[in-house]
Amino acid sequence: MAGVQTAVALREQGFTGTVSLIGAEPHQPYDRPPLSKAVLLGKAEGSALDVDFEGLGIGLRLGSEALGVRVADRELDTEAGPVPYDVLVLATGAEPIRLPGAEGVPGVHLLRTLDDAERLRPVLARQHDVVVVGAGWIGAEFATAAREAGCAVTVVEAAERPLAGALPAEVAAPMTAWYADSGTVLRTHARVERVEPGAVVLDDGSRLPAGAVVVGIGARPATAWLAGSGIALGADGEVVADAHLRTSAPDVYAVGDCASFPSARYGERLLVHHWDNALQGPRTVAANILGEATGEPLAVYDPVPYFWSEQFGRFVQYAGHHTGADTTLWRGDPSGPAWTVCWLRDDRLVALLAVGRPRDLAQGRRLIEAGTPMDPRLLQDPARPLKAATA
């Protein structure tokens, strides 16, 4: 998504030079969200992006993995040989973290690529007993699809609750009941000791039958190929970009899941592994590539992060960044079908999570962007529109 959107944005903004899009996968560029939904369930054959690459004059080099960058020579090394560049944009995304000791065991799957989804589709069609390792966003989405397909599903999570790395305990707590409501077994405080053909063995000795195992324990930036390039990487292996999405190397930009950027809005560096970041960031990159050439002021990238998840019959949306908040307020009953959590700092909305309340999300996102002071008392009334809860 980030690479394609950068190429398209360059053309939309008037760039007339050569644009080459290089990717390791052999498939036409595709969208990822349908992989855990329609593609997985056989409701769609694929999710190729509706882009006329030929008409836009964008050259595709598919099935060509990037192997390294020689900054001094302005060359990208690929499996097909070196590719010279004037400007290079790194958009290699993230790769799933593998479960130690599970490599090579039959029936163990990841869900990140189109090939992953196509390998998993017959598993669901045969209604195997499925064990999902990890109760994060992707684990919940896959469990949802597997239950819809009629599989018996057990989700094992090493932490004490779902989404332990993403949300505070009191916010994730209501989501625990969603698993049981859907007929999914959730086992927390459950660490995998080993995976055998047909079974997952936990560290307490319990043995879970598994016709298939799906691992969803997180992702890390796909940047190992940049070792030795001199391009600065951060603590999580991400490319360290500046506020204009430039890297430490001249004329090299980074965008999407593989890059972090400094947020003046939140006062910290953000690494955002979500679709909207891969959609929005490229517009800034394209503007700055053109701006560097014309000497215009460069655009700053400081978005309100946004993502959504469909799981267990619920539409979950999140906007902002909550870690610096000093107040947490609820709108609605978290045991009900629709509710929102709002995070404030100095009475200004900095983040919200909306379950089945898309209007809250849309209005809240604009309020976060504007930095509008809120009235906490009015904010807690779920019948009052968010935009009418300002101070």
Side-chain angles (χ1 to χ4, degrees):
M1 174 59 74
V4 168
Q5 291 298 330
T6 301
V8 170
L10 280 165
R11 290 298 188 227
E12 287 178 345
Q13 295 181 30
F15 183 76
T16 57
T18 301
V19 178
S20 299
L21 190 60
I22 299 172
E25 291 186 67
H27 311 290
Q28 283 287 115
Y30 59 87
D31 205 7
R32 291 191 192 280
L35 300 185
S36 61
K37 305 170 185 73
V39 174
L40 193 58
L41 289 168
K43 297 177 181 178
E45 280 305 307
S47 57
L49 293 164
D50 185 18
V51 175
D52 182 2
F53 293 103
E54 187 176 350
L56 288 170
I58 297 168
L60 289 182
R61 303 189 189 193
L62 304 176
S64 182
E65 185 174 0
L67 304 176
V69 180
R70 284 176 286 115
V71 171
D73 299 330
R74 290 179 179 262
E75 284 193 328
L76 174 76
D77 288 320
T78 75
E79 287 179 319
V83 179
Y85 67 84
D86 295 314
V87 178
L88 177 66
V89 180
L90 308 176
T92 47
E95 55 196 1
I97 297 171
R98 297 176 182 273
L99 186 66
E103 294 89 343
V105 178
V108 177
H109 300 264
L110 300 167
L111 180 51
R112 181 77 184 183
T113 67
L114 181 59
D115 289 338
D116 292 337
E118 290 182 344
R119 279 190 289 266
L120 276 164
R121 191 152 55 179
V123 171
L124 267 58
R126 290 193 293 267
Q127 298 187 335
H128 279 297
D129 288 347
V130 176
V131 173
V132 180
V133 183
W137 300 113
I138 194 68
E141 290 185 6
F142 178 80
T144 299
R147 286 298 298 141
E148 187 176 331
C151 300
V153 182
T154 300
V155 178
V156 297
E157 169 57 52
E160 74 279 6
R161 64 182 189 276
L163 295 166
L167 295 173
E170 70 272 18
V171 177
M175 300 176 176
T176 303
W178 300 355
Y179 287 79
D181 290 347
S182 72
T184 301
V185 176
L186 173 64
R187 295 190 55 165
T188 55
H189 297 287
R191 292 188 176 276
V192 175
E193 184 173 286
R194 65 183 184 277
V195 179
E196 302 172 351
V200 172
V201 181
L202 303 181
D203 62 357
D204 65 359
S206 55
R207 187 183 186 86
L208 307 176
V213 179
V214 177
V215 179
I217 55 175
R220 59 169 63 97
T223 57
W225 66 283
L226 291 170
S229 68
I231 295 171
L233 302 181
D236 294 310
E238 83 283 8
V239 180
V240 177
D242 68 9
H244 310 293
L245 297 180
R246 299 176 300 189
T247 73
S248 62
D251 297 314
V252 180
Y253 292 79
V255 66
D257 289 8
C258 72
S260 67
F261 55 90
S263 170
R265 184 191 308 277
Y266 291 106
E268 60 183 282
R269 181 167 282 276
L270 299 182
L271 175 59
V272 180
H273 281 193
H274 291 298
W275 184 91
D276 191 66
N277 182 48
L279 179 69
Q280 305 294 344
R283 296 167 188 164
T284 299
V285 171
N288 288 339
I289 289 172
L290 290 159
E292 290 269 21
T294 60
E296 294 176 28
L298 297 186
V300 170
Y301 187 60
D302 195 3
V304 173
Y306 166 74
F307 73 89
W308 79 97
S309 176
E310 295 178 77
Q311 51 182 269
F312 307 120
R314 291 161 174 88
F315 187 44
V316 183
Q317 295 173 283
Y318 178 98
H321 183 64
H322 66 265
T323 56
D326 54 36
T327 305
T328 304
L329 298 175
W330 295 75
R331 288 167 57 80
D333 179 1
S335 65
W339 46 274
T340 297
V341 179
C342 298
W343 286 274
L344 290 85
R345 185 175 63 230
D346 299 329
D347 285 343
R348 283 175 167 78
L349 198 62
V350 294
L352 79 160
L353 177 104
V355 177
R357 291 181 65 98
R359 188 173 297 174
D360 275 6
L361 191 287
Q363 294 180 10
R365 194 175 182 183
R366 289 193 289 269
L367 291 165
I368 294 170
E369 286 173 350
T372 307
M374 307 299 295
D375 183 324
R377 182 181 56 81
L378 300 178
L379 193 64
Q380 293 176 84
D381 178 3
R384 179 184 292 271
L386 264 178
K387 64 183 180 182
T390 56

